[in-house]
Amino acid sequence: VLRYMKKIKLTKKNLILFAVLAATAIAIVVLDQITKMMAVRAYEDGKLPVTVIKGVLSISYLENLGGAFGGMAGRHVLFFVLTVLALPAFCVLIFFRRNSGNAGCFAVAMMFAGTVGNAIDRAFRGNGFFNGGVRDFIATECFGILDSVFNVADISLVAGVALFAASLLFFDKDSLLADAKRKKSAAEKEEQPHTEREDDGGESGQN
């Protein structure tokens, strides 16, 4: 491992990217925590719920002891293990994709920030081990059984996953689309000599 680490060369561009990604993640976490505190204060003052778009979106408040849609409530050890595994995995993923394209790296930074934002709630808002409720306050009202209440960290997580998938498909240097273009370009280059030879043969016959 040490020999491999010595071979790794970080360029100035890489270091700037890491700094920007760190700043982005910190900004998202700070925004997440500020908006959560604002929601708690508004709820305690009796100002919630508030309708933003009637029948579509409102600002409410609840503490989610589970995961998405309130599932797996009480599985605090599982959430702790997933968090401990995910955060270093995100860092490793950014490191190894640092030269593949910025879109994928920013996507992973968003997922990292979303994980940290909700982990803070679980770690510091409970009376036991990682059992705090995640503060959710943005409520959808137009998706029927798929309606949910979420927060800025959740938005960052979901948007990060979507952007990462898009980067693998379209944006990054090693994306499937880029790979298809390279294969097409290589095939066209292979066909060019054959075409030129056929043209030369036709000209020779005419002469």
Side-chain angles (χ1 to χ4, degrees):
V1 176
L2 292 176
R3 289 180 181 178
Y4 178 75
M5 293 299 292
K6 289 179 180 179
K7 294 180 180 179
I8 295 175
K9 294 182 180 180
L10 295 177
T11 65
K12 184 178 180 180
K13 185 177 179 181
N14 292 149
L15 297 177
I16 292 173
L17 175 63
F18 292 157
V20 173
L21 294 176
T24 300
I26 291 171
I28 293 173
V29 172
V30 170
L31 178 62
D32 174 65
Q33 294 301 306
I34 289 175
T35 53
K36 285 174 177 175
M37 287 188 288
M38 292 173 64
V40 171
R41 183 173 299 178
Y43 176 73
E44 291 175 346
D45 291 342
K47 297 178 180 179
L48 296 181
V50 174
T51 299
V52 179
I53 303 175
K54 189 175 181 179
V56 178
L57 189 70
S58 65
I59 303 299
S60 182
Y61 181 76
L62 64 81
E63 293 190 4
N64 182 7
L65 296 175
F69 300 99
M72 297 190 296
R75 304 284 184 86
H76 50 274
V77 175
L78 175 62
F79 287 118
F80 175 78
V81 171
L82 291 176
T83 301
V84 169
L85 293 176
L87 294 180
F90 290 149
C91 294
V92 171
L93 193 55
I94 287 175
F95 182 82
F96 282 102
R97 295 195 62 79
R98 65 190 184 280
N99 296 319
S100 297
N102 293 339
C105 290
F106 272 99
V108 178
M110 292 169 67
M111 289 188 280
F112 182 96
T115 303
V116 170
N118 285 338
I120 290 173
D121 284 16
R122 298 186 192 281
F124 298 107
R125 292 188 60 81
N127 55 5
F129 176 74
F130 214 68
N131 66 346
V134 175
R135 294 166 289 179
D136 293 332
F137 56 91
I138 305 171
T140 59
E141 301 174 347
C142 57
F143 299 114
I145 61 173
L146 295 179
D147 279 331
S148 61
V149 186
F150 49 93
N151 54 45
V152 172
D154 296 330
I155 294 173
S156 183
L157 267 169
V158 174
V161 171
L163 178 59
F164 188 71
S167 69
L168 292 179
L169 291 173
F170 307 112
F171 302 141
D172 285 354
K173 295 176 183 177
D174 56 354
S175 66
L176 294 179
L177 180 62
D179 187 52
K181 287 182 177 179
R182 281 193 295 269
K183 289 181 179 178
K184 183 179 179 181
S185 178
E188 289 175 350
K189 288 181 179 178
E190 289 180 358
E191 290 177 0
Q192 284 179 358
H194 295 293
T195 305
E196 290 175 358
R197 283 196 293 269
E198 289 175 1
D199 292 340
D200 292 341
E203 291 176 2
S204 299
Q206 291 176 359
N207 292 333

